[in-house]
Amino acid sequence: MQATNVQRKAVVRFLLITIGIYGLLTYGWSGSSDLYARGFRAALRTTLVSPTGLREVDVPEAQPVAGTTGIVIANRKLLATDGSGPIRNVNLPNATFWHATALLLALSLATPYRWSQRMTVALVGLLLLHAFIAGTISFALWNEGRHVGLSALSPTWASTTDRLETILVEQATLVIPFLAWFGGLWPRWKCL
């Protein structure tokens, strides 16, 4: 009976610390989401913008909404010499990506292990999470590229890829932090 109470207290303590860290990162300091958005956009500019290739990508400095990053894609073959032509605006919710990152950090830092183990889980989890985010962005740009002639899909496949894009961007991004954290800690999990 006493062991059950100790375990219950440890779980409640873990949940409260996780919620506290997550709240502090996402709502306690408004500058954290702005900092993430600037880093996210800089990473996109570094990895996606290129003067060569069929797809032209631009991540404008001025963004319409703080929690969203707008990306402009175009097919270079369809652009006129003055730069006019069909474009596609793709809006990515960097706020969702930040919340996923904050959740992973909160879970990792609240785990009742030594600090070195917590940092290892956090770093590995961040790499896995951002690899997933990079794959999601690549898929979204490929999928949205069909509107400017960068890819061709039948109407059936187009609706399927649109749904998959929505799932990856809006829903799966919030599940991955749990999987990365749980997968990293499961082999060493001890009774609390």
Side-chain angles (χ1 to χ4, degrees):
M1 184 73 166
Q2 188 177 15
T4 304
N5 286 337
V6 171
Q7 289 176 339
R8 188 175 302 131
K9 286 180 182 180
V11 169
V12 168
R13 181 178 180 271
F14 167 74
L15 291 174
L16 289 174
I17 291 171
T18 300
I19 291 168
I21 293 171
Y22 179 76
L24 182 67
L25 289 173
T26 56
Y27 300 108
W29 178 48
S30 62
S32 60
S33 62
D34 294 336
L35 182 65
Y36 184 86
R38 283 195 304 270
F40 179 70
R41 292 175 185 140
L44 289 176
R45 283 186 197 98
T46 303
T47 57
L48 296 177
V49 176
S50 170
T52 62
L54 182 60
R55 181 176 70 187
E56 182 172 317
V57 178
D58 183 34
V59 183
E61 288 291 330
Q63 293 290 326
V65 181
T68 302
T69 295
I71 299 174
V72 180
I73 57 174
N75 184 337
R76 282 196 168 103
K77 287 185 177 180
L78 300 178
L79 293 178
T81 55
D82 65 353
S84 63
I87 62 166
R88 181 71 175 177
N89 292 310
V90 180
N91 293 318
L92 297 171
N94 55 273
T96 302
F97 301 150
W98 165 239
H99 283 262
T101 302
L103 179 59
L104 176 65
L105 289 171
L107 289 167
S108 299
L109 296 175
T111 302
Y113 283 148
R114 293 182 317 213
W115 278 103
S116 62
Q117 290 174 319
R118 294 179 200 188
M119 292 292 114
T120 300
V121 170
L123 290 175
V124 170
L126 287 171
L127 289 174
L128 293 172
L129 175 64
H130 285 88
F132 176 81
I133 291 171
T136 298
I137 292 167
S138 295
F139 179 80
L141 293 179
W142 170 81
N143 186 45
E144 296 294 330
R146 74 177 190 274
H147 297 286
V148 290
L150 292 169
S151 58
L153 294 171
S154 70
T156 303
W157 278 109
S159 66
T160 302
T161 58
D162 285 343
R163 181 68 185 135
L164 180 58
E165 178 183 338
T166 301
I167 290 170
L168 288 173
V169 170
E170 296 175 7
Q171 297 165 355
T173 307
L174 295 176
V175 174
I176 298 300
F178 286 106
L179 296 177
W181 170 76
F182 190 69
L185 291 179
W186 181 255
R188 294 184 219 121
W189 194 262
K190 299 175 184 174
C191 291
L192 300 174

